[in-house]
Amino acid sequence: MPDNYSAQASFTVRRIRHNDSLFLTLEGNGKPLFQSFDKETGVPSPDWTQAANQPVLTPHSSSLMGATVSLSHHSWSYNGTLLVFNGATSGEYIADSTGKFALNPTTGALKIIGNLASATNVANDTLSYSCVATVAGYEYNLSKSRDIVIQEGGASSYYGFINANSLQLDSDVSTVNLVPNLWLAGTPVQSFYVKWYKGNAVFREKSAAATVNVGRSDVDGSATFIAEFYLNQADANYVFRAGISILDILDAIIIVPYADGVNKDIDNGKSVTVKARVIKANTGAVLTPVNPTWHFDAYNPNTWEVVKTSDTDSIVVGTDESDEADGSMHDVRVECQVQFESYTTN
């Protein structure tokens, strides 16, 4: 019998009262969270002191049931340190005490206004956001993080990224536009080619860079789209790989990944087992899928290369997946999907 249901996810859904669920994303403004540093010239690129180059992250929260969500008590941290916004006001933004970030206190948007890459900082940084979401008079704590890619660069350093007009498909947004961008040493490349994947399946064959339109039929709860960037049509090797996840908050059935067991973080001698629950979105009921076919992919989030797969109902990730031969370490991003014929309610 063919599969009748499918779902895919890599995000966390927070369960709230009245059988609702909240989704939180940090929407960009088309400027990549990427900066390189050329140690020969001592110059970071792009220059985030210039207004035209400054990335902005704006929190966006949606309710599965269509309820109005308001966000307040906006808080941002940089590499685990709380940012204090007590500096000068410029337009809608207030600068923080370091002079590198600015907050819009109304929307919670964070703008990067100072250079972060330096001779002593050529590794990825992390921005973490937290807030209070108010729905129908109830308050909930929400949080989300985004990495800033920082690397040592030079004349031959390529960086690719994907711009999206939204990270959520809902009743107001039926199509998301994915726009690939490729830079060389901080300067846009005008001509290149892209091969698109949805998860580990080809979504569009290699072609000249152009916008890809993603609709609700392309997303089962959540889907990750990966772009491989090539300089020429005939090239066998790509110069960069980038990924982005899109949510469809209107899907009736979603899956929620979780760490099963005592270990929630990878450490020496400690691995993490990731499983997933199948949930009916409008009620929050946990479902038991009939004849499920599971697939898990573990990615290095810096390169979007698959480091491990599993076709069982779980995947185990440890230091083999998070540690590199040069001694560096990174998180492991787990994508999961399931197809099944029918379901029963627990």
Side-chain angles (χ1 to χ4, degrees), residues 211-346:
T211 298
V212 171
N213 298 318
V214 173
R216 292 198 59 217
S217 61
D218 301 311
V219 180
D220 296 320
S222 171
T224 296
F225 295 88
I226 296 172
E228 288 181 347
F229 294 83
Y230 297 81
L231 299 183
N232 300 286
Q233 176 77 53
D235 287 351
N237 299 318
Y238 55 82
V239 295
F240 206 87
R241 211 167 190 249
I244 193 170
S245 291
I246 304 298
L247 313 181
D248 183 356
I249 71 168
L250 299 181
D251 269 344
I253 295 176
I254 59 177
I255 56 176
V256 181
Y258 65 96
D260 183 53
V262 176
N263 296 334
K264 308 301 180 184
D265 300 291
I266 297 172
D267 201 352
N268 292 330
K270 295 182 179 180
S271 58
V272 177
T273 299
V274 179
K275 291 188 174 182
R277 297 182 180 93
V278 180
I279 293 177
K280 193 168 186 178
N282 62 348
T283 66
V286 177
L287 309 178
T288 299
V290 176
N291 294 327
T293 300
W294 291 93
H295 182 79
F296 288 78
D297 285 315
Y299 289 87
N300 176 337
N302 296 329
T303 63
W304 287 93
E305 296 284 358
V306 175
V307 294
K308 190 175 185 179
T309 64
S310 172
D311 289 320
T312 69
D313 65 352
S314 65
I315 188 170
V316 179
V317 292
T319 54
D320 285 347
E321 289 72 48
S322 65
D323 294 12
E324 302 294 336
D326 62 2
S328 63
M329 297 176 287
H330 54 76
D331 294 338
V332 177
R333 181 188 180 100
V334 174
E335 305 277 341
C336 57
Q337 55 186 299
V338 63
Q339 294 180 324
F340 50 99
E341 296 174 1
S342 60
Y343 59 84
T344 59
T345 303
N346 294 348

Side-chain angles (χ1 to χ4, degrees), residues 4-275:
N4 296 322
Y5 298 89
S6 66
Q8 179 176 340
S10 63
F11 60 97
T12 300
V13 179
R14 183 175 176 82
R15 188 70 176 82
I16 65 173
R17 298 174 178 87
H18 305 305
N19 296 323
D20 204 347
S21 295
L22 293 183
F23 301 84
L24 178 65
T25 51
L26 299 175
E27 309 279 348
N29 67 333
K31 308 299 181 182
L33 292 176
F34 164 79
Q35 192 171 51
S36 65
F37 185 81
D38 191 328
K39 289 190 174 181
E40 292 187 4
T41 64
V43 175
S45 180
D47 182 358
W48 284 340
T49 65
Q50 301 300 310
N53 299 331
Q54 291 168 350
V56 177
L57 289 178
T58 303
H60 174 51
S61 183
S62 299
S63 156
L64 183 67
M65 305 300 288
T68 299
V69 182
S70 62
L71 303 180
S72 61
H73 296 84
H74 308 290
S75 177
W76 287 90
S77 296
Y78 171 58
N79 290 340
T81 300
L82 182 68
L83 297 176
V84 179
F85 298 94
N86 58 1
T89 298
S90 177
E92 300 175 332
Y93 288 86
I94 302 173
D96 83 313
S97 59
T98 71
K100 296 183 181 296
F101 304 94
L103 173 74
N104 182 323
T106 302
T107 64
L110 183 78
K111 181 188 295 185
I112 302 177
I113 60 174
N115 293 318
L116 303 180
S118 67
T120 57
N121 184 27
V122 288
N124 288 4
D125 292 341
T126 301
L127 286 170
S128 300
Y129 169 76
S130 63
C131 67
V132 174
T134 303
V135 184
Y138 293 100
E139 295 183 340
Y140 308 92
N141 295 318
L142 299 180
S143 61
K144 194 78 172 179
S145 296
R146 288 283 298 272
D147 285 340
I148 305 169
V149 178
I150 296 180
Q151 63 185 34
E152 185 176 349
S156 61
S157 299
Y158 286 97
Y159 178 74
F161 60 97
I162 304 167
N163 280 335
N165 61 311
S166 177
L167 299 179
Q168 299 184 20
L169 293 165
D170 54 30
S171 57
D172 296 321
V173 180
S174 60
T175 303
V176 170
N177 303 318
L178 305 182
V179 183
N181 296 264
L182 183 64
W183 283 6
L184 174 60
T187 301
V189 176
Q190 299 302 319
S191 177
F192 58 94
Y193 295 79
V194 178
K195 184 175 183 179
W196 289 92
Y197 293 83
K198 185 174 80 170
N200 55 9
V202 175
F203 185 67
R204 195 180 79 172
E205 292 291 350
K206 188 193 304 179
S207 61
T211 298
V212 171
N213 298 318
V214 173
R216 292 198 59 217
S217 61
D218 301 311
V219 180
D220 296 320
S222 171
T224 296
F225 295 88
I226 296 172
E228 288 181 347
F229 294 83
Y230 297 81
L231 299 183
N232 300 286
Q233 176 77 53
D235 287 351
N237 299 318
Y238 55 82
V239 295
F240 206 87
R241 211 167 190 249
I244 193 170
S245 291
I246 304 298
L247 313 181
D248 183 356
I249 71 168
L250 299 181
D251 269 344
I253 295 176
I254 59 177
I255 56 176
V256 181
Y258 65 96
D260 183 53
V262 176
N263 296 334
K264 308 301 180 184
D265 300 291
I266 297 172
D267 201 352
N268 292 330
K270 295 182 179 180
S271 58
V272 177
T273 299
V274 179
K275 291 188 174 182

